[in-house]
Amino acid sequence: MERKGTRMDSFMELALRRQSCRKYTGQPVDTEQLKACVEAARQAPSACNGQPWRFLIVNGGETAKALARCAQGQGMNKTIATSPAFIVVCQAKSNLSSRAGGLLKGQDYASVDIGLAAAHLCFEAADQGLGTCLLGWFDEKPVKKLLGIPRGQRVRLLVAVGHPENPRVHRKQRKPFEEICRVIDYRV
Ligand SMILES: Cc1cc2nc3c(=O)[nH]c(=O)nc-3n(C[C@H](O)[C@H](O)[C@H](O)COP(=O)(O)O)c2cc1C
C-alpha cells in the first residue's frame, strides 16, 4: 500500500491539522492511498478485539456520485458531491465476548469501535495530505442497495476523501479544557 504526503513530527500536530473538508478539487485519489487509510483503521483497538468494522472503498465513477446523493437528503451536505471518493464504514456482528460484555455492562462497544476505526482512517488520510469528512447524515437503505451491503450489516458512516480545495488549517472550535476534563491529582 502506497502512503503519500507529508509526515507529521508529532501526533498533536496531526490532530490539529485534521479537519472536516467539505469541498474538494477535481483531482482523483489513488486507490492505494484509500487502502492505506483502511489499513490504518484496521489497526484500531476494539472491545475484546471484536473488530466489528467492514469497509468499502468507492473511488470515482457514478457510484461515488450516487453515494454523495445519499448524503444530501433534506438539503444537507450540499458540497459533498465534490468528493472524488468515499470510504463506507459498516458495522458487522462483533464477537460473542464483546456482545456479551456490552449487554452485561450496558455499553455499546461496537459504536465505540467504529468511531475509533474512523478516527484512525481520518488521521491516516490527514497524514497523507488528504481531506476527509465523516458523514453521519445519509440514507442507509439506498446506500445498502447501491453497494449490495448484506442485511446483517449496518452502514455507520460515509467518509468523503479527496484533495482539499482549501488546505488552510482552521482554528478548531472546541469547548474549554476545564469544561470537559476533571483532574483528580493526589500528587499536588
Ligand atoms: C459521527 C459524526 C457524524 C458527522 N456527520 C457529518 C455530516 O453528515 N456532515 C458534515 O458536514 N459533517 C459531519 N461530521 C463532521 C463534524 O461536523 C465535525 O467533525 C465537527 O464539526 C468538528 O469539526 P472538525 O472535524 O473540522 O474538527 C460528523 C462527525 C461525526 C463524528
Side-chain angles (χ1 to χ4, degrees):
M1 259 158 266
E2 200 182 339
R3 297 176 79 245
K4 286 185 180 171
T6 40
R7 289 286 161 267
M8 308 309 296
D9 36 17
S10 80
F11 179 75
M12 188 56 83
E13 277 183 277
L14 184 60
L16 290 169
R17 201 162 68 102
R18 189 231 42 93
Q19 60 191 8
S20 294
C21 172
R22 298 182 175 91
K23 250 187 173 180
Y24 300 87
T25 69
Q27 196 187 337
V29 179
D30 282 354
T31 300
E32 287 301 307
Q33 287 186 274
L34 299 169
K35 283 166 75 178
C37 294
V38 173
E39 177 56 24
R42 196 171 74 87
Q43 303 305 328
S46 57
C48 303
N49 206 16
Q51 304 165 63
W53 44 66
R54 300 290 182 274
F55 302 92
L56 228 147
I57 293 172
V58 178
N59 197 5
E62 286 305 313
T63 310
K65 284 184 192 147
L67 264 182
R69 284 196 293 275
C70 293
Q72 289 179 317
Q74 289 78 36
M76 295 288 279
N77 295 321
K78 282 200 172 84
T79 56
I80 219 64
T82 58
S83 175
F86 290 89
I87 299 176
V88 181
V89 186
C90 298
Q91 180 184 327
K93 216 174 182 185
S94 198
N95 59 21
L96 185 61
S97 29
S98 172
R99 283 186 283 131
L103 273 176
L104 287 169
K105 292 294 170 195
Q107 293 282 351
D108 177 8
Y109 293 135
S111 291
V112 178
D113 300 341
I114 293 288
L116 283 163
H120 275 219
L121 190 162
C122 292
F123 287 127
E124 170 57 26
D127 201 29
Q128 294 187 59
L130 292 169
T132 54
C133 190
L134 293 162
L135 303 169
W137 183 270
F138 59 86
D139 297 321
E140 187 177 10
K141 261 192 184 169
V143 172
K144 287 187 83 165
K145 194 170 172 208
L146 179 73
L147 303 174
I149 291 166
R151 265 198 198 172
Q153 289 184 25
R154 292 283 322 265
V155 183
R156 299 304 306 270
L157 287 166
L158 308 185
V159 190
V161 190
H163 297 275
E165 188 189 74
N166 179 5
R168 194 173 66 84
V169 177
H170 303 289
R171 220 180 117 85
K172 291 210 180 296
Q173 292 186 355
R174 295 293 188 262
K175 291 176 181 171
F177 187 91
E178 294 69 29
E179 190 183 325
I180 57 116
C181 179
R182 198 157 63 94
V183 181
I184 301 172
D185 184 354
Y186 292 107
R187 293 174 308 162
V188 288

